[in-house]
Amino acid sequence: MRVSNLDRRTLLRGAAIGGGGAALASWFPAWAQPVSRGIVRPLPTVSGTDIALRIAHQMMMVDGRESHAIGINGTVPAPLIRLRQGQTVRLSVTNDLHDEDSSIHWHGLLVPFQFDGVPGISFPGVKPKSTFVYEFPIVQSGTYWYHSHSGLQEQMGHYGPIVIDPEGEDPIRSEREHVIVLSDHSQMHPHAIFRKLKQQAGYFNYQKQTLASLLAGKDQPQKDRLEWGRMRMDPSDVSDVTGATYTYLVNGHGPKDNWTALFRPGERVRLRIINASAMTNFNVRIPGLPMTVVQADGQHVRPVTVDEFQIAVAETYDVIVTPPDERAYTFVGEAVDRSGLARATLAPREGMSAQVPPLRERPLATMKDMGMDMAGMDMPGMDMSGSTGGTIDLSKPEGAVPAGGASEPSGGTIDLSKPDSAMPGMDHSAMGGMSMNMRAPSNAPQVKMGPGVQTISPMPADRTGEPGQGLENAGHKVLVYRDLMALTRNPDVRAPDRAMEIHLTGNMERFMWSFDGQKFNEVTAPIPFVENERVRVTLVNDSMMSHPIHLHGHFFELVTGHGEYAPRKHTVNVPPGGKVSFDVTADAIGDWAFHCHMLYHMHAGMMRVVSVRPRGEAA
């Protein structure tokens, strides 16, 4: 639907007369909203070796609406902390929330574990009306961020950016830079959001398939809808929390606020982009302006020029753009489920704006997102290299190749000639106790169906060469993980000493999330590491939701075929039905959080502790 300026003014004026102007205006997509002249307001900045931060309740304005928030030093996002590699910093954090503990985790910073900022793991937390002093050396440079690790405070605005300048010359040359903090904001209290997710699957999904879309020939055909319905799976359920309750922000400003960053034509402009959202992966593009990626998670990468990239929750990307003309460009951060977008403007002067593109068609999950990718599978008695034909009979144990005492499959077949079709006659709700783990070694933990595990990916695929949900047919160059290569040789290039496989598990209908089928409060022992050992970790996503997984206190190297120049990251997104491997050197002694950075997934139990012990003490 396109709305002219005249029609929009008429509709809004009429609604206002009837007392419903604000309600009606909220139904317009971002690109149809009345546009302000633009807010040119750099983030407040604190720097030096002694920094004071105050956490408190406050109000904030988003697109003209007032909201309750938790901010730091009176701002949302929190102030930009600007540091320099080689200095030692003291950060005095005062909790003025009156009735609840708080904390700050320095996301991506390599710090002593007692200053990592995770209550119950690395320190007790910051009690109300008290101050905790973090003190640590700055051993790295790059773009990072900080946020609460207490309850759901992050969703309410408790997050902010960090920029660390290098000791020597920065290999990234630019004449100007802007920090762009993407986030999601709701008028609904985060505990109310969590309660609704627990009460009803897909509560915030307002983009379900309908009879009208079927009659119009859109979305899935009738046969596929029936098959997915039999499995009790909704292919439109791509995001747990959506634009139905979220407004997507740039530096604390909504799409109508039109936050604006200035440039001079021909300048090399560095954009430090941080995804500080609670639950939203964004697809980022600047129509008409290519972006050259030069950093990922604060680490230098060989420059790669793209038109778009997907940034998962908690990731950071630095890009260089060179606007050639004296005109405005729109920075678009589109929610992965296409339910809304964050918007800003790059312009040579104040008061300018460019066209905001309409939301693209929302993606639908496929059988690959269920871990049913047949490509490259080596099945006993079957040659998969030249044909997609044949079937796997799940009523026969050799069909599923269960390992380590898995229970008998409950029947059904998978038609390999139809890789995008569902499993005929199979009801996932009746598959309790079944293991479809077809690739784990015999010593790997076996994950079985049960109350907290709704699906198990029988054939997960390495999807690091894919651009992300909804971007498969973007029509332009989209960044994939395999495009990333470290600018310099990695500090540790040893082969792994051992390997482990960890399953990302959940029950979407009951909103239960876990590692290896166990929630955080059900686990009695940490994941053990020995100081300086090299471990290859493979994450297998057995669910139909993306999971950005973050390891505290360490960087790891993605296994994407680049050897000694593998990209180093602290967070990696594992797509539905996908798997990702990384090599990590356990060089930081202490207890470290390891979790999904989707805030409500972590809150529901998708978290573990990684314990790194000195070699002399490790059993």
Side-chain angles (χ1 to χ4, degrees):
M1 178 182 69
R2 282 286 186 184
V3 183
S4 71
N5 289 334
L6 178 60
D7 290 341
R8 182 167 60 230
R9 286 195 300 269
T10 303
L11 286 168
L12 293 178
R13 187 183 302 116
I17 292 173
L24 179 58
S26 67
W27 285 98
F28 285 105
W31 51 263
Q33 295 281 4
V35 176
S36 75
R37 290 180 56 83
I39 294 173
V40 181
R41 186 180 300 156
L43 290 167
T45 302
V46 293
S47 61
T49 58
D50 207 331
I51 295 172
L53 302 173
R54 174 181 169 271
I55 304 166
H57 294 284
Q58 65 174 80
M59 303 303 291
M60 65 181 292
M61 294 291 293
V62 175
D63 282 348
R65 299 180 68 190
E66 194 172 52
S67 298
H68 174 219
I70 293 176
I72 294 180
N73 292 5
T75 70
V76 175
L80 165 62
I81 298 177
R82 190 112 200 181
L83 304 171
R84 180 166 292 277
Q85 185 180 16
Q87 74 177 91
T88 295
V89 65
R90 283 173 48 91
L91 298 128
S92 302
V93 176
T94 300
N95 178 8
D96 274 349
L97 293 180
H98 305 295
D99 57 353
E100 58 182 311
D101 292 3
S102 193
S103 58
I104 291 181
H105 164 58
W106 316 100
H107 186 100
L109 267 61
L110 301 176
V111 303
F113 84 94
Q114 66 268 28
F115 296 126
D116 189 51
V118 183
I121 296 178
S122 55
F123 85 137
V126 187
K127 299 295 181 184
K129 296 299 180 183
S130 70
T131 298
F132 182 84
V133 179
Y134 297 82
E135 184 170 5
F136 46 82
I138 304 301
V139 299
Q140 65 207 94
S141 63
T143 302
Y144 304 96
W145 64 296
Y146 62 108
H147 59 84
S148 173
H149 233 290
S150 301
L152 300 175
Q153 294 172 5
E154 183 187 333
Q155 173 75 92
M156 298 186 70
H158 188 333
Y159 54 82
I162 300 173
V163 171
I164 304 175
D165 295 309
E167 279 184 299
E169 184 179 354
D170 195 329
I172 301 173
R173 183 178 61 84
S174 63
E175 283 82 49
R176 188 188 298 254
E177 72 172 38
H178 296 288
V179 176
I180 295 180
V181 181
L182 296 168
S183 62
D184 43 29
H185 169 79
S186 178
Q187 295 275 340
M188 187 180 295
H189 194 278
H191 286 289
I193 292 175
F194 186 74
R195 184 169 60 251
K196 292 182 183 301
L197 290 170
K198 294 288 288 184
Q199 290 172 343
Q200 179 181 332
Y203 180 90
F204 295 103
N205 181 10
Y206 285 16
Q207 301 188 96
K208 295 179 184 290
Q209 298 186 107
T210 63
L211 176 60
S213 68
L214 178 64
L215 296 176
K218 296 180 179 180
D219 300 331
Q220 288 181 317
Q222 182 177 0
K223 177 180 178 299
D224 289 350
R225 294 194 191 198
L226 292 174
E227 297 287 4
W228 280 69
R230 275 198 287 269
M231 294 185 294
R232 300 186 181 182
M233 297 292 175
D234 181 359
S236 69
D237 193 6
V238 172
S239 297
D240 292 306
V241 191
T242 72
T245 187
Y246 277 153
T247 301
Y248 301 108
L249 310 184
V250 171
N251 293 346
H253 298 286
K256 287 193 295 182
D257 292 335
N258 186 23
W259 184 85
T260 301
L262 301 179
F263 66 84
R264 292 189 183 95
E267 279 185 325
R268 286 173 55 88
V269 182
R270 181 176 184 171
L271 304 179
R272 298 179 181 264
I273 303 167
I274 300 165
N275 187 349
S277 63
M279 292 292 289
T280 306
N281 291 343
F282 289 100
N283 296 325
V284 173
R285 69 193 195 275
I286 306 173
L289 193 59
M291 301 174 288
T292 300
V293 178
V294 292
Q295 256 191 21
D297 285 357
Q299 304 299 294
H300 297 306
V301 296
R302 297 184 184 180
V304 54
T305 300
V306 299
D307 298 298
E308 186 167 9
F309 61 88
Q310 187 168 108
I311 182 170
V313 175
E315 290 186 311
T316 73
Y317 283 102
D318 285 31
V319 304
I320 297 292
V321 296
T322 307
D325 304 317
E326 190 161 331
R327 69 178 182 91
Y329 297 85
T330 297
F331 175 96
V332 179
E334 188 175 39
V336 68
D337 70 330
R338 311 288 199 254
S339 62
L341 55 79
R343 170 272 183 116
T345 296
L346 303 180
R349 59 184 180 276
E350 296 184 35
M352 299 181 70
S353 63
Q355 181 181 6
V356 181
L359 295 171
R360 296 172 291 188
E361 184 177 350
R362 58 97 166 87
L364 293 176
T366 67
M367 291 303 289
K368 182 181 283 190
D369 297 318
M370 291 177 63
M372 299 296 293
D373 181 29
M374 304 299 174
M377 289 300 300
D378 183 15
M379 303 293 295
M382 299 188 66
D383 180 6
M384 304 296 293
S385 60
S387 172
T388 57
T391 62
I392 303 172
D393 188 349
L394 297 180
S395 66
K396 300 177 181 178
E398 67 271 17
V401 202
S407 56
E408 290 287 322
S410 59
T413 63
I414 304 170
D415 188 348
L416 301 182
S417 65
K418 302 174 182 178
D420 286 328
S421 65
M423 295 183 284
M426 293 190 68
D427 181 358
H428 279 222
S429 65
M431 292 168 67
M434 171 180 167
S435 174
M436 295 177 66
N437 188 343
M438 305 170 81
R439 72 277 165 192
S442 59
N443 62 347
Q446 295 303 298
V447 180
K448 299 182 180 182
M449 295 288 200
V453 181
Q454 185 180 26
T455 59
I456 294 175
S457 300
M459 303 170 197
D462 181 342
R463 306 184 70 177
T464 54
E466 300 180 19
Q469 285 179 296
L471 295 177
E472 299 85 354
N473 301 304
H476 53 235
K477 172 62 179 174
V478 181
L479 183 76
V480 301
Y481 277 143
R482 290 184 196 172
D483 290 330
L484 299 174
M485 291 183 67
L487 186 64
T488 58
R489 186 172 181 265
N490 287 321
D492 190 349
V493 296
R494 293 176 295 158
D497 301 308
R498 62 186 176 99
M500 67 170 62
E501 185 175 275
I502 298 173
H503 291 252
L504 314 179
T505 46
N507 186 312
M508 293 164 65
E509 290 188 356
R510 300 176 64 176
F511 207 73
M512 300 169 69
W513 297 102
S514 53
F515 285 146
D516 290 331
Q518 290 185 295
K519 297 190 298 181
F520 183 54
N521 62 3
E522 298 171 344
V523 178
T524 57
I527 298 173
F529 282 71
V530 178
E531 182 185 10
N532 288 325
E533 73 169 328
R534 188 91 166 135
V535 182
R536 175 159 294 180
V537 178
T538 297
L539 303 173
V540 179
N541 190 348
D542 283 337
S543 79
M544 291 180 65
M545 288 288 175
S546 291
H547 298 294
I549 302 299
H550 174 49
L551 174 61
H552 288 219
H554 298 77
F555 280 87
F556 48 76
E557 292 81 51
L558 294 185
V559 180
T560 53
H562 297 305
E564 297 177 353
Y565 292 88
R568 305 189 74 216
K569 297 185 97 277
H570 53 58
T571 303
V572 62
N573 189 51
V574 189
K579 60 182 179 180
V580 172
S581 294
F582 62 77
D583 292 339
V584 60
T585 301
D587 56 2
I589 293 173
D591 291 338
W592 304 98
F594 178 56
H595 61 92
C596 178
H597 223 287
M598 294 285 186
L599 181 62
Y600 299 109
H601 292 183
M602 180 178 68
H603 194 67
M606 202 171 210
M607 181 171 175
R608 291 288 298 274
V609 175
V610 167
S611 184
V612 181
R613 290 291 175 260
R615 286 191 174 273
E617 297 178 13

